[in-house]
Amino acid sequence: MITKSTELFTRAQQSIPGGVNSPVRAFKSVGGTPLFISRAKGAYLYDVDGNKYIDYIASWGPMILGHAYEPVVGAIQAQAVYSTSYGAPTELEVKMAELIISMAPNVDLIRMVSSGTEACMSAIRVARGYTGKNKIIKFEGCYHGHADSFLVKAGSGMATLNIQTVPGVTAGVANDTLTCAYNNLEAVKNLVAANRNEIAAIIIEPIAGNMGCVLPVPGFLEGIRKICNEEKIVFIFDEVMTGFRLAPGGAQEKMAIDADLITYGKVIGAGMPVGAFGGKKHIMEVVAPLGNVYQAGTLSGNPIAMIAGYTLLDILHRNPALYSELDEKTIYLKNGLQDVLQESGVPFVINQTGSMISVHFSKIPVTDFASAAAADNAFFGKFFHAMLRRGVYLPPSAFESWFLNNALSVEDLDKTIEAARESLKEICQ
Ligand code: KE4
């Protein structure tokens, strides 16, 4: 059937590579035509054909209190009349930095940028500038944005498209990126021993969301923390997804682990293009113009982005009960999905922490990229479309976390669980 989405997708491919401005939106791994969204409100997305969906992407995390959240929309509207950018410092940036520092552990200084990629890319440069060392360790299946250093065995869209090596990333850059399996502390120890005094940083998603949701096993993060202390390696928590979503203090607070540098994105922009990197003073002091590690951005700290992010963060900061509300809704959904999946007899694993959750059609626990990739992801594609037909919009890839937003009602959750029951019945018949 020709829909407005299919017409738009055909048209989009004439002017945009693959018809999308970010690969994971193209439905490549689940098949079919991406839906073009016309508007969203609260927990719901509406496509250009007028279909309504319960949204479990939340713009990949930012829309934690729901779409078109009135205080955020109002703040943007009020600020926009004073111009959208000055290219000069503003009080808004100071208030934003002070608010983040009051919420996030181990952040003495913070620099705003315009994406999570920029935040992670800059954090790596700071770690290299601070330590004078070149190599980094990242984990297979973790995704830290599309900077060259990270496009080695990355998750998210790279896993979705099964891209192993990226043309354009030079051997020189790739050689400075060491990788090992998530949750394998022994492998970290071996890499560090084999590259003694050469490793500037270990960067990790403290709770991974880019191979589906994968949790650190007890002792894993603690073990890396110990190695970094002993080897003078900068421990970078990539909290672009987890920051201000799992708790006011993000994964550092939830896991009670201290990082040296922390990167943020998504929630801190409330849907506007914002990223940030921050950390302990003695490290962040190398950042220009204070130090010589150069990092810059025309729209860094943009007033519209700042007022949007500040408004959302301030509400989260003043109402910590919103986190327990969101977590309870996620547990409710998890329990309901658990029941219908058990009824279906299909092998599955549900990974969940806070308001991050993912379903893997796997016979074994999903604890790293290999086990996530070994799941029946073709079945996930069928499940995705069956749910979409029933008005539930899941992330279009098995290598993504689902994100709940606090506008979801129990009725929405019940509809989602019922849609899952019907979808599994349809696929398994
Ligand atoms: P951005 O440059 O896309 O703002 O952030 C990159 C990034 C860094 N770190 C983590 C942990 C991330 O999850 C991301 C981006 N997340 C993906 C979704 N898994 C973005 C979606 C997309 O690529 O369109």
Side-chain angles (χ1 to χ4, degrees), residues 126-150:
V126 167
R128 286 170 165 155
Y130 172 72
T131 61
K133 299 186 276 185
N134 296 335
K135 292 186 189 296
I136 65 167
I137 293 178
K138 74 171 286 291
F139 295 87
E140 290 159 21
C142 284
Y143 179 71
H144 306 293
H146 66 87
D148 285 2
S149 297
F150 302 130

Side-chain angles (χ1 to χ4, degrees), residues 9 20-28 33-35 59-60 393 396:
F9 190 46
V20 291
N21 281 311
S22 198
V24 76
R25 302 175 191 170
F27 277 25
K28 279 277 185 213
T33 299
L35 298 179
S59 176
W60 303 101
Y393 199 132

Side-chain angles (χ1 to χ4, degrees), residues 361-364 368-377 399:
F361 295 103
S362 171
K363 298 188 178 76
I364 57 171
D368 59 14
F369 180 66
S371 46
D376 186 349
N377 295 324
F399 298 111

Side-chain angles (χ1 to χ4, degrees), residues 22 24 115-117 143-145 156 205 210 238 240-241 266 400:
S22 198
V24 76
S115 71
T117 293
Y143 179 71
H144 306 293
S156 185
E205 291 181 55
N210 286 293
D238 175 353
V240 167
M241 257 194 200
K266 299 180 190 281
E400 296 290 353

